[in-house]
DNA sequence: GTGGTCTAGACCACT
DNA sequence: GTGGTCTAGACCACG
C-alpha cells in the first residue's frame, strides 16, 4: 500500500493519517473506497494493529473516513472536499511564514519571485521569456 | 523578564528558547549582554530550574549564547547574525507551504496578493491607490 | 422492497428492524401480512442471510412479527398496536432531552415555541394568525 | 473523584468523557483546573491507564481539555462555553423526538404539558393554580 | 473476516 | 512525577 518511515519524528499513527489523506488527494482513494483492513495494514507494515486503529479512529473523527463494524473502513470524502477542508490551515501557515520573513527583512519582491519560481518550475521551454532573472541570485 | 504561556502546546524549554531569540531579534539583548541566571529565571517564572537549564543548553549548543563557569550566560550573536541564521529554515518552510497550496490549486495570483497584503498592512493612507482590489475577494 | 444505507452508522440488522417497523407504521404491512423470506431479502439487499435472520429474530422476540416453520414470517401487530408500544420509550427520550435543555438554561417558552413550529409546519396559509412571532428569533 | 459503571453499555472511555463534561457543567471543574492524572485516575477507578488516556485524548480533540507533557491535563472551557457547544445537538435531538411523537399522533397539548411539568417540578406550592390539570391523565 | 474495547506492560519526552 | 506512543494479546459485536 504505502510506506512508513520509522526514522521520521512523527508518530507512526500520524504518518498513517497523512498517507491516507495523501492517497485521497492524489485521487487513488475515491469516495466510499474501502481502505485496507486494520489487521491487513498492520501486517503489511509490520506494525501493531492498535496503532492502525488509532490512526483510523482519528481519521474517522475528522470525517475523512467512516468505519463500520464487521464491514470495514471507507473513504468519506472526495479529493476536492478534503482540499477545501485543508485550505484555511495551510493558508494561515503560509501567512505566518510571510510575516516572519517580513520581520527578518526579506523583501516582498524576493518572496513573490520565490512563489513565481515554484509555480513555473518543471515547465518545458520556460527559459526563454523568464521575467524574473534576478530572482535566482539571492535566495 | 518575559512570560511563559502554560496553555501553549510548545514545551516550556522551547518557549524559553523562542523568547530569548525574540529578545535578541528585537534588539533588547545585544551581543555579550548577560542573561538572567538559571536560578533567578526559574524563580521568576515559577518553573523548575532543570527546564531553564535545558533551554540554555540548547541555546548554547546552537551558538546563540555562551556560558562561563561561575559568571553566567551571555548573548553570543547580534540581531542580524541571528536573522541570517534563521533565514534558510524559514524560507524552506515558506516554500513547502507554497508547494502544498499549489497542489491544492490555489492560484499564483492569490498567493502573491496575500504576500502583498501582509507587506502593505498597517500602512497609513494605503487605501487610495490599492492596485490589487480583486485580491480581497477570495481568500 | 426497502433500502439499506451502507453509510448509516446503525448495524445492518437494526436498519432492517427499523425498516420493517416503518413499513408497518406506514400501513404498508398490515397484520398477518407475509414478510419477504430471509433468503429472498438477503439476495435482494446483497447481504448475508445471517444478518436478516438476526433482524427477524429480534423482531419476533419483540412480538412485532411471528414465524411459522416452513411457511415464513408474518406481521404480528397492527400499526396502531405498534404505535402504542413505541410511545413510552419515545416519550422518555423526549423528557430526557427536555430535562437536559432545561439544565442548559433554555427557556420553557423556547421549547414550547419549537414544539409549536413543528406541529404547524407545512400547513397552507398558516402565516395569518401566527401567535408566536417571537419564537423564530433565537433557536 | 467520580464513578464508572461497569454494567453500563457505554464503553468505559466514553463514560469518563461524560463524567468530565458533567463535572465542568456542574461548575466543579473551572477553566484551567487540573484534572486527575492519567495514572492516578486509572488507579482510582481500577482501570487501565490506556483507557483513561483515550478518554483524555478525545476530550482534548474536542477542545474540552488540554494536556501538556510533564505537567498534566487541564480544563479548557468554562461551563457556559461547554453548554453553548452542546446546545445545537441537543436541540436537534429534541426536534427529532417531537417529530416522531407527532407521527405517533401525540397531541401538541400533551407535549407542551409535558414540558411545563418538567420545568415546574420541584417547585414549592405549585399545586394551587396548576393550569394544566388534565395533563396528568394520559401520559 | 471486519472494526472496537480493554488490559498489561514497556519506553520516551517533559517538568 | 506528568502525558504520549507503541506492543502484544485478549475478547466482543457485526456480517
Amino acid at each position: 500500500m504505502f510506506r512508513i518511515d520509522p526514522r521520521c519524528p512523527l508518530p507512526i499513527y500520524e504518518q498513517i493519517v497523512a498517507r491516507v489523506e495523501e492517497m485521497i488527494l492524489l485521487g487513488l482513494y475515491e469516495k466510499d473506497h474501502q481502505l485496507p483492513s486494520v489487521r491487513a495494514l498492520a501486517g503489511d507494515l509490520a506494525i501493531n494493529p492498535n496503532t492502525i486503529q488509532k490512526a483510523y479512529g482519528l481519521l474517522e473523527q475528522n470525517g475523512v473516513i467512516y468505519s463500520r463494524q464487521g464491514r470495514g473502513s471507507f473513504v468519506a470524502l472526495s479529493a476536492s472536499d478534503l482540499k477545501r477542508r485543508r485550505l484555511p490551515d495551510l493558508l494561515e501557515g503560509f501567512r505566518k511564514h510571510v510575516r516572519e520573513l517580513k520581520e527578518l527583512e526579506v523583501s516582498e519582491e524576493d518572496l513573490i519571485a520565490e512563489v513565481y519560481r515554484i509555480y513555473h518550475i518543471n515547465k518545458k521551454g520556460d527559459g526563454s521569456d523568464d521575467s524574473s532573472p534576478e530572482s535566482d541570485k539571492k535566495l
Side-chain angles (χ1 to χ4, degrees), chain A:
Chain A
M1 277 300 147
F2 40 73
R3 298 277 153 185
I4 291 305
D5 181 3
R7 299 164 313 176
C8 176
L10 279 175
I12 295 176
Y13 72 87
E14 286 202 23
Q15 292 187 47
I16 294 168
V17 166
R19 289 290 170 285
V20 170
E21 293 189 344
E22 200 180 306
M23 295 291 270
I24 296 174
L25 285 173
L26 290 173
L28 299 174
Y29 280 175
E30 298 194 349
K31 200 168 175 178
D32 294 316
H33 180 86
Q34 182 161 8
L35 296 172
S37 84
V38 170
R39 288 164 171 77
L41 190 53
D44 220 43
L45 302 175
I47 275 176
N48 189 294
N50 283 337
T51 304
I52 311 287
Q53 190 85 298
K54 182 166 184 175
Y56 279 17
L58 274 179
L59 284 163
E60 183 167 21
Q61 264 208 308
N62 291 343
V64 179
I65 71 172
Y66 60 92
S67 298
R68 297 292 173 255
Q69 262 193 318
R71 277 179 276 166
S73 301
F74 307 85
V75 174
L77 289 164
S78 69
S80 55
D81 289 337
L82 189 52
K83 279 180 192 170
R84 225 162 317 170
R85 178 171 309 201
R86 278 188 160 203
L87 226 169
D89 284 352
L90 222 47
L91 208 68
E92 195 39 60
F94 171 78
R95 288 199 191 98
K96 194 182 155 212
H97 274 83
V98 174
R99 277 191 295 266
E100 290 198 36
L101 286 162
K102 183 189 174 192
E103 273 179 23
L104 259 55
E105 291 164 8
V106 173
S107 78
E108 182 184 0
E109 288 72 30
D110 283 340
L111 288 195
I112 290 177
E114 203 60 29
V115 171
Y116 176 89
R117 200 172 309 144
I118 291 170
Y119 269 82
H120 296 77
I121 219 166
N122 293 334
K123 285 212 178 167
K124 352 168 190 175
D126 70 335
S128 58
D129 60 340
D130 187 349
S131 60
S132 64
E134 81 290 351
S135 62
D136 301 306
K137 292 181 286 190
K138 297 179 62 179
L139 300 180

